[in-house]
Amino acid sequence: MQRKAIGVIDSGVGGLTVARELMRQLPNEQLIYLGDTKRCPYGPRTREEVIEFTWQMVNHLLRKDIKLLVVACNTATAFTLEELQEELEIPVIGVIQPGARAAIKVSQNKRIGVIGTEGTISSQAYTKALHGIDKSIVVKGLACPAFVPMVEDGILEGGLAEETVKNSLHPLKANNGIDTLILGCTHYPLIRHLIQKEMGEKIQVICSGEETAREVSLILAYQKLTFNGDDKPQHEFYTTGDLEKFEKVANIWFEEPIEYLKPVIID
Amino acid sequence: MQRKAIGVIDSGVGGLTVARELMRQLPNEQLIYLGDTKRCPYGPRTREEVIEFTWQMVNHLLRKDIKLLVVACNTATAFTLEELQEELEIPVIGVIQPGARAAIKVSQNKRIGVIGTEGTISSQAYTKALHGIDKSIVVKGLACPAFVPMVEDGILEGGLAEETVKNSLHPLKANNGIDTLILGCTHYPLIRHLIQKEMGEKIQVICSGEETAREVSLILAYQKLTFNGDDKPQHEFYTTGDLEKFEKVANIWFEEPIEYLKPVIID
């Protein structure tokens, strides 16, 4: 079939964790990534703002004739997924349901922790997703507002990062009994090593990125949208904010430098 | 929405490993299971026989107005999935693609082993599924024809089982380098502990059952077929063969006895 791209939107660089997994698990597929770095973080914004900004990103990508949209931001997924799925003619995949399904698969004691932005946690989106499948699951949610700004600034190691992770996770660690922790924000896999260390090796950590890529793979196959040609994909990355900052995190996260990165204005 | 069941078909008791995962990951959903124990194993049968027997099972379940069909048998999936997906109006999920996608997710070195029946291995169904997504994956397939009759007879522990597993897996163990092994037959999770022990703890073992249940969960949500009522599901199990043998394996595999098990004649 004709080459069409998968569109990926995020509030900033966090969605790169999803993009990397898409590139790894679906190496033939082409991505167009748009990060609204300028207005990041979305976590503390109002529902109305998140909906408005998300639609601006979606409309920008629709003009590039994408075949599937990944909302690679938990806050945007929490507030806009249902609306996007109803309005768009292409499949729309968020990051909350894949994380929820993966957690249900691995949890043995049905006690699941979720960390995310204030917006994601207060929306109860994970609790709804988990309880929509199994009402007996106990969900422990915790907002970690310090993580996104830290990751956007490229602070992924060292004393400050460790201390921030420790302080933020304290309430969840004290309130124990969970066997699975969902990283309910696509920025968090960038500090997964710190989170895993703080929570202990026994806790199974679920990364939205890996799980979302797998579900994209299924929906592409189910809708017969998988690309089966031979030409190599040429990924495109766009940011509304600072190019250098974006590139810094991207270069840490990907194994090779991004070839095509452009600034973009959306409104 | 109205209560409708998920249909699950298998050549015998192996599909119970998928059924258990469906019951665990989707506790609100109702199952109707049909195992063609009388004509098991399907592995050494011709393509034509497998297609004929599978359609007989499918037609039997369609009369029970199922909302989604799970082909919980790798051999039947290899030979009939595409045809069933084209012909039926309900979603049809096989066990090969979920296993392939899960293996792609976890494998780091892209060297993946697959064990299954002669039919599944010679059909190259896993190789096609894996290469359909990523042509660079190295696939090592091995038929283990001794496993299904052993499991159908309820021999899941002890010296004979261990010896059979050791002898069968020898060619794959000698030809090393894989980091992931797909159990490409739904009977094999019943002897997963023996397979894992023989292959070593470093090999990541993928069970179709867990992965298929997760993909069923996604497709139910995607097609808006998830049951969201409050009444408890009443699962039904049917076998074309010996009730006692079926019950013996089911009781080992499930935590509580099957409530509703009936013999059935299909043709």
Side-chain angles (χ1 to χ4, degrees), chain A residues 24 105 211 214 222-223, chain B residues 24 105 211 214 222:
Chain A
R24 194 178 71 82
K105 201 195 91 180
E211 307 305 334
R214 173 150 170 222
Y222 188 76
Q223 298 285 27
Chain B
R24 194 178 70 83
K105 201 195 92 180
E211 307 305 333
R214 172 148 172 223
Y222 188 76

Side-chain angles (χ1 to χ4, degrees), chain B residues 205-261:
Chain B
V205 171
I206 303 291
C207 288
S208 320
E210 294 170 18
E211 307 305 333
T212 302
R214 172 148 172 223
E215 298 208 348
V216 168
S217 179
L218 168 56
I219 296 301
L220 286 181
Y222 188 76
Q223 298 286 25
K224 303 199 189 309
L225 291 170
T226 309
F227 179 71
N228 48 23
D230 282 323
D231 56 312
K232 284 192 79 177
Q234 306 285 328
H235 308 300
E236 297 172 20
F237 294 84
Y238 299 91
T239 172
T240 59
D242 188 76
L243 279 186
E244 266 180 54
K245 256 189 174 179
F246 190 95
E247 209 164 8
K248 182 184 166 193
V249 177
N251 286 347
I252 293 171
W253 195 238
F254 293 125
E255 279 168 19
E256 43 197 79
I258 288 179
E259 281 180 19
Y260 186 104
L261 172 63

Side-chain angles (χ1 to χ4, degrees), chain B residues 59-205:
Chain B
N59 287 328
H60 190 83
L61 287 194
L62 286 179
R63 288 196 286 274
K64 293 180 181 287
D65 198 24
I66 53 172
K67 65 179 174 182
L68 181 147
L69 175 70
V70 179
V71 184
C73 169
N74 281 268
T75 314
T77 299
F79 292 145
T80 70
L81 185 72
E82 279 182 37
E83 189 178 319
L84 291 172
Q85 283 177 333
E86 266 170 40
E87 302 275 330
L88 303 193
E89 283 169 20
I90 55 173
V92 183
I93 314 278
V95 280
I96 290 175
Q97 292 282 348
R101 270 187 284 272
I104 287 174
K105 201 195 92 180
V106 303
S107 174
Q108 294 299 319
N109 73 0
K110 293 192 178 189
R111 296 176 69 88
I112 296 172
V114 184
I115 53 175
T117 67
E118 307 94 307
T120 302
I121 298 301
S122 70
S123 76
Q124 299 266 328
Y126 275 98
T127 308
K128 285 176 202 159
L130 291 162
H131 285 177
I133 298 171
D134 185 352
K135 289 194 183 68
S136 72
I137 293 170
V138 177
V139 187
K140 304 276 178 188
L142 177 70
C144 300
F147 289 178
V148 171
M150 186 173 88
V151 169
E152 285 283 329
D153 285 340
I155 300 166
L156 312 175
E157 298 286 352
L160 174 62
E162 282 171 28
E163 201 58 29
T164 306
V165 168
K166 191 177 169 185
N167 291 338
S168 299
L169 294 180
H170 179 70
L172 195 63
K173 231 185 142 182
N175 181 351
N176 226 315
I178 60 166
D179 70 352
T180 304
L181 177 64
I182 301 174
L183 305 190
C185 173
T186 51
H187 285 73
Y188 298 0
L190 286 149
I191 49 168
R192 177 190 182 152
H193 53 296
L194 302 176
I195 295 168
Q196 182 84 61
K197 195 176 158 201
E198 183 57 26
M199 293 303 292
E201 289 302 322
K202 280 190 184 161
I203 300 288
Q204 304 203 65
V205 171

Side-chain angles (χ1 to χ4, degrees), chain A residues 96-107:
Chain A
I96 290 175
Q97 292 282 347
R101 270 188 284 272
I104 287 174
K105 201 195 91 180
V106 303
S107 174

Side-chain angles (χ1 to χ4, degrees), chain A residues 136-153:
Chain A
S136 72
I137 293 170
V138 177
V139 187
K140 303 276 178 188
L142 177 70
C144 299
F147 289 178
V148 171
M150 186 173 88
V151 169
E152 287 282 329
D153 284 341

